[in-house]
Amino acid sequence: NLPNNLFSLTLYCDKLTYPIDNLPLNLQSLSFHVNKLNEPNILLPNKLTLLSISNLTDNQYNSLIDNCPQKLTYLNICANITCNYQFNKLPLSLHNLSFSSTIINQSLDNLPINLRKLDITSNEINQSLGILPNSLRELYVQCDMFDVPIDNLPKDLSKLTILSFHFKHSLNRLPRKLNSLTLNHSYDKEINNLPESLGCIKKSEYW
């Protein structure tokens, strides 16, 4: 058994065969990167505030999301599968959400209302971003096949990054408090009505 006073645990391995259903109650940070896990469900400690997971099955991801501790503030999900996450079940305490998936084919409506930073990485996003939380301050989208309008950004958003070779929509309705804008080098649309607060504009050569 792991010691009860353990507050941070990182697991990197190809295959995990022993049970992990008895994690320390005081654990606050868990980074979990396993290529193959036999357990269908993982019970997370209530005091956990940071969770980073990768390479699980769709069911295992959703099981974790269903049972996220109510004090969780940071969640990082990395999966080489199509995104079918149940975002509406994430805890309201979440401030930072980062996730990557091969294909994202669902709206991001019903994200936690206190979310401040959203980081999305995918090969293809074929749905609108939906109605993002008003609390959001930073939005990062890195996706080659992303070409949907983003006209309804939160009014207090301060940092926007869109790295997509195929993104061609206009950006004439940017939030008035935006101070940092980063776009892919291929973006060639004229942007009207730039916010007065904007202090940094970048063109990235990521692709």
Side-chain angles (χ1 to χ4, degrees), residues 31-204:
S31 295
F32 195 79
H33 308 283
V34 179
N35 289 332
K36 186 175 182 181
L37 179 68
N38 292 331
E39 287 189 53
N41 300 310
I42 303 170
L43 184 62
L44 299 173
N46 289 330
K47 293 184 179 181
L48 200 69
T49 60
L50 184 151
L51 176 61
S52 179
I53 53 177
S54 65
N55 299 327
L56 302 185
T57 67
D58 221 2
N59 289 336
Q60 287 170 331
Y61 278 115
N62 280 320
S63 174
L64 281 175
I65 289 176
D66 285 348
N67 298 287
C68 273
Q70 293 307 303
K71 293 183 179 180
L72 196 71
T73 59
Y74 177 94
L75 175 60
N76 176 52
I77 302 174
C78 181
N80 294 319
I81 54 178
T82 299
C83 173
N84 290 306
Y85 309 141
Q86 301 173 25
F87 294 113
N88 61 318
K89 295 186 178 181
L90 291 172
L92 297 179
S93 59
L94 203 65
H95 288 167
N96 191 323
L97 173 61
S98 175
F99 69 91
S100 63
S101 183
T102 304
I103 300 175
I104 298 173
N105 56 13
Q106 66 188 87
S107 173
L108 300 183
D109 286 336
N110 300 315
L111 288 172
I113 59 173
N114 296 311
L115 196 67
R116 298 181 64 86
K117 184 176 181 180
L118 177 60
D119 187 325
I120 306 168
T121 302
S122 180
N123 294 335
E124 181 179 349
I125 301 175
N126 51 30
Q127 289 284 336
S128 72
L129 297 184
I131 301 175
L132 298 173
N134 289 328
S135 59
L136 201 67
R137 299 295 183 270
E138 298 183 29
L139 174 61
Y140 180 96
V141 179
Q142 179 178 310
C143 174
D144 189 23
M145 300 298 293
F146 175 71
D147 189 28
V148 295
I150 52 170
D151 292 334
N152 296 311
L153 293 170
K155 61 182 181 64
D156 291 330
L157 193 74
S158 62
K159 187 174 183 179
L160 174 63
T161 299
I162 303 176
L163 299 180
S164 174
F165 188 80
H166 291 89
F167 184 75
K168 303 297 182 184
H169 288 274
S170 67
L171 291 171
N172 294 328
R173 298 177 61 184
L174 294 171
R176 305 321 298 169
K177 295 183 180 180
L178 195 71
N179 59 47
S180 176
L181 175 63
T182 302
L183 300 169
N184 196 61
H185 68 92
S186 62
Y187 187 79
D188 57 2
K189 294 283 187 182
E190 182 177 355
I191 303 176
N192 299 317
N193 303 315
L194 285 171
E196 293 292 333
S197 60
L198 200 60
C200 179
I201 301 177
K202 297 179 182 179
K203 283 290 195 78
S204 171

